Amino acid sequence: MLFARNRLHTAFIRHRNTCCALPSRHYVQPSHAGPALANSVTPIEKILLDTIKANGPISFATYMQLCLSHPTEGYYMNPANAVIGARGDFITSPEISQVFGELLGIWLLSQYLGTGAKRDIQLVELGPGRGTLMDDILRTLSQLPHSRASVKHVYLVESSPALRAVQATMLQPWDGKNGLRIHWHDSIDDVPAADDTYTMLVAHEFFDALPFHLIEKAHQGWKEVLISSTPDPAAKTILRPSDVLAPSQLPPSPSATPTFDRSSSTSKMRFRSVLASDPSPVSTLLGASSPRFASLPIGARIEVSAASFQTARKLGTLLSRGAGGSALVVDYGADHAVGNSFRAFKGHTLADPFDRPGQADLTANVDFAYLAEALAGTATVRGPLSQRAFLLYMGIGTRVGALQRAAASPERADSLGKAAARLVDAAGMGREYKVMGVTGGIKDKDTEERVWPFVAGEVQDVPADAKEGMDRATAA
C-alpha cells in the first residue's frame, strides 16, 4: 500500500488543536568548549585512569560505556545531569516541536492500518529521553478512532533510574487510561511480542549513543585504535602512538555533523589514542562484519558499533514476531561508515570528548547501511530519507499552518513556525538527521509494496507544493 496523505492523514494534520504545545526552543549550533577546570579529575576520569593503569589501554567502546552508563557516575545515570532541554546539554526534535512526534505517530499508524487494524497495539521506544516523544505519539493516537482504544501497552527501554523518573512524571497521565499500561525495561530483549499484538517502535537519537570500536585497516588486517593515558616517559610500550582523533581517510559525508578539533582544546591531555601492534579477534571480526569495509584503503579508520548491529538485529526480530510491526529510526549519520565523528556536547556546545568524562553527552554518527545489514533477513528497510524530506512529505507545513490558525496569539503562531523551520532546515537538523523506516517481514524486491514517503527512486528534493506549504506556515 502506498500511503500518501489518505483521509486519515489529511484530517489529522489539518486539525486545529494545538494540544500540549511546547514553548519555543533554541537549537544551538556547535561551538568550541571553554577551558576545563584546572587539574580537576572527575569520578569517571579516575576510574578510567585506574583501569588503564591496571589493565592497559581500553577500547573506545569501553570509554564510552563507562562515561555514559557507569551505575552511579555515568552521564545518563547521575541525576545531577539535566541532560536534555534548556537546562541540559543538548536539545532534540521532540523538544522543539510537537509536530515531530505527531507525524511519526501518523506514519506508524498508517502501517498498522495496512494490516487491517484489528489487533491491539504496543508502543516501544528505545532511549525515551524525557518522554516527550512518546507523549506526543500517544496524544496523536488517542485522537484518532482507529487507534484510540487499541494501544494497550507502552514499553520504554531505559537503563537510567534518573531518566525513568522523568519519563514517569511526563507519562503518568496515560497510565491506566483506556486500559493502557506503561512498563520499563533495561533491554529490548525484555520487550514481549504477543501473537495478537502489533508493535510500533521508535528509536530517536538512540543508536548514536551506543558504544563503538575504532579500527584501522593495515597490511596485516584490521587493528584497533585504543585509548591510553598520557605516557610515562620511563615506561616501555609495545603500542605505537596514534594521531589524537586523527581524521579518517574515508571521504567526509556531506551531511556529517562537525567534529571537535582537539588542536583548539585547552583541556589537560590525560588521554591519548594508540594503535594496537597486531590485529585482535575483536578488530578482525568487526572489520569483516560488513562487505563494504573490504574495499576501504589501507590506513582508513572507521567507527563500528557492534552494540548497534546487535540491537538492530533484535529490533527486526521483534517486528517479525507476534502480529508484526513497524519502526522509525531517527538519528544523525549517513549510509556509510566514518572514522572521525566522535564528539561531546556540553552546555549546548560541541566539546572535547576526553574533557570532563562523565559530565558531557558523547555521540558518534550512525552508519545506517550497517543497521540495514543487521536487519537483513528479519525485516524490510525503507530509506533512509533526510529528516527534512520525511517531514515535508508527511505534511508538516499543513499541520503547522493548522496549529498557527488556532494559536492564542501572533507571537505563539510565529513560535510554532520557527520551531518547525528548525526541524526541516536544509543547513541544519533537516539535513543532518536521517529517518529510516522498518516494516516487519521480508519482502521480495519484485513484489515489494512501496511505503510513503520511502518511495522507490526518490528525488533529491521534495515536491514544490510541500515546500510551499512549509513556507506559508513559517511566514504566517
Side-chain angles (χ1 to χ4, degrees):
M1 177 187 68
L2 176 62
F3 174 69
R5 302 193 187 186
N6 60 24
R7 278 183 282 181
L8 165 71
H9 178 239
T10 304
F12 180 82
I13 63 175
R14 293 183 182 277
H15 198 277
R16 295 170 59 85
N17 184 8
T18 59
C19 305
C20 304
L22 298 172
S24 178
R25 306 278 187 171
H26 292 286
Y27 175 71
V28 182
Q29 294 293 338
S31 62
H32 289 306
L37 298 176
N39 297 322
S40 61
V41 177
T42 69
I44 287 293
E45 193 168 10
K46 185 178 187 309
I47 293 171
L48 290 165
L49 291 170
D50 288 346
T51 300
I52 292 170
K53 184 177 180 179
N55 302 317
I58 60 175
S59 67
F60 275 72
T62 298
Y63 179 88
M64 196 170 181
Q65 181 72 25
L66 282 171
C67 288
L68 296 180
S69 301
H70 182 275
T72 57
E73 300 296 341
Y75 177 71
Y76 293 134
M77 311 299 276
N78 189 340
N81 297 321
V83 184
I84 304 172
R87 292 179 56 249
D89 294 313
F90 60 94
I91 199 82
T92 63
S93 295
E95 305 290 333
I96 292 174
S97 173
Q98 68 181 62
V99 180
F100 179 81
E102 291 172 351
L103 295 182
L104 265 59
I106 287 293
W107 186 88
L108 292 169
L109 180 59
S110 73
Q111 304 312 303
Y112 169 72
L113 295 179
T115 68
K118 296 180 181 179
R119 310 275 186 164
D120 287 342
I121 297 171
Q122 65 176 22
L123 280 167
V124 181
E125 184 171 5
L126 308 183
R130 301 201 307 181
T132 303
L133 177 57
M134 182 56 69
D135 183 54
D136 289 338
I137 292 175
L138 284 169
R139 190 183 63 248
T140 300
L141 298 181
S142 72
Q143 294 179 20
L144 299 169
H146 301 83
S147 54
R148 182 174 295 124
S150 298
V151 181
K152 299 302 182 183
H153 296 278
V154 172
Y155 297 101
L156 304 174
V157 178
E158 177 61 70
S159 60
S160 167
L163 287 175
R164 283 189 181 191
V166 175
Q167 295 153 14
T169 300
M170 172 69 74
L171 300 174
Q172 186 277 330
W174 296 106
D175 197 24
K177 189 173 183 179
N178 292 326
L180 183 151
R181 305 303 303 178
I182 299 177
H183 317 265
W184 278 265
H185 294 293
D186 289 327
S187 168
I188 190 174
D189 294 319
D190 302 323
V191 177
D195 291 339
D196 59 347
T197 301
Y198 183 88
T199 299
M200 297 179 181
L201 184 147
V202 63
H204 177 258
E205 292 203 44
F206 173 78
F207 284 96
D208 69 277
L210 294 183
F212 69 90
H213 294 260
L214 183 61
I215 58 176
E216 180 176 312
K217 191 172 187 179
H219 289 288
Q220 308 98 306
W222 288 94
K223 300 179 180 181
E224 184 157 14
V225 181
L226 303 168
I227 296 171
S228 185
S229 55
T230 3
D232 178 354
K236 295 181 179 180
T237 179
I238 60 170
L239 297 164
R240 175 173 68 82
S242 170
D243 295 334
V244 178
L245 292 184
S248 169
Q249 293 188 23
L250 291 173
S253 166
S255 62
T257 303
T259 56
F260 185 81
D261 179 8
R262 295 204 79 193
S263 65
S264 65
S265 175
T266 57
S267 64
K268 183 174 178 59
M269 301 289 286
R270 292 195 176 96
F271 298 99
R272 60 169 180 146
S273 57
V274 294
L275 183 67
S277 299
D278 299 296
S280 68
V282 170
S283 62
T284 300
L285 179 62
L286 292 174
S289 63
S290 170
R292 295 173 295 125
F293 301 161
S295 61
L296 296 176
I298 298 297
R301 287 185 179 182
I302 50 175
E303 297 159 349
V304 184
S305 175
S308 292
F309 191 97
Q310 293 165 357
T311 302
R313 188 74 182 174
K314 293 171 183 176
L315 185 160
T317 301
L318 177 62
L319 298 185
S320 65
R321 290 158 48 196
S326 56
L328 287 171
V329 176
V330 187
D331 231 311
Y332 36 72
D335 250 346
H336 57 76
V338 295
N340 62 341
S341 72
F342 186 43
R343 56 200 180 276
F345 283 95
K346 183 66 178 176
H348 297 272
T349 62
L350 200 62
D352 185 339
F354 295 104
D355 186 27
R356 313 297 299 163
Q359 296 183 4
D361 184 45
L362 299 180
T363 179
N365 279 17
V366 174
D367 179 356
F368 280 93
Y370 200 53
L371 299 187
E373 290 167 350
L375 287 161
T378 64
T380 301
V381 174
R382 320 283 181 170
L385 288 172
S386 69
Q387 178 171 291
R388 169 180 169 81
F390 179 86
L391 294 178
L392 287 173
Y393 272 130
M394 288 296 293
I396 187 173
T398 304
R399 176 59 177 154
V400 172
L403 294 178
Q404 288 179 316
R405 290 190 292 275
S409 66
E411 291 77 18
R412 176 59 187 154
D414 180 64
S415 175
L416 287 165
K418 289 180 177 178
R422 288 200 292 275
L423 296 181
V424 298
D425 182 6
M429 299 181 80
R431 174 178 63 104
E432 293 169 358
Y433 285 83
K434 303 297 185 296
V435 182
M436 184 174 76
V438 186
T439 51
I442 309 168
K443 302 294 190 299
D444 183 272
K445 289 297 181 182
D446 295 330
T447 60
E448 179 181 340
E449 297 174 340
R450 298 194 301 164
V451 173
W452 186 266
F454 303 101
V455 292
E458 179 198 6
V459 293
Q460 295 302 309
D461 208 348
V462 295
D465 61 338
K467 289 189 290 185
E468 289 170 2
M470 190 66 226
D471 291 341
R472 288 193 297 272
T474 56

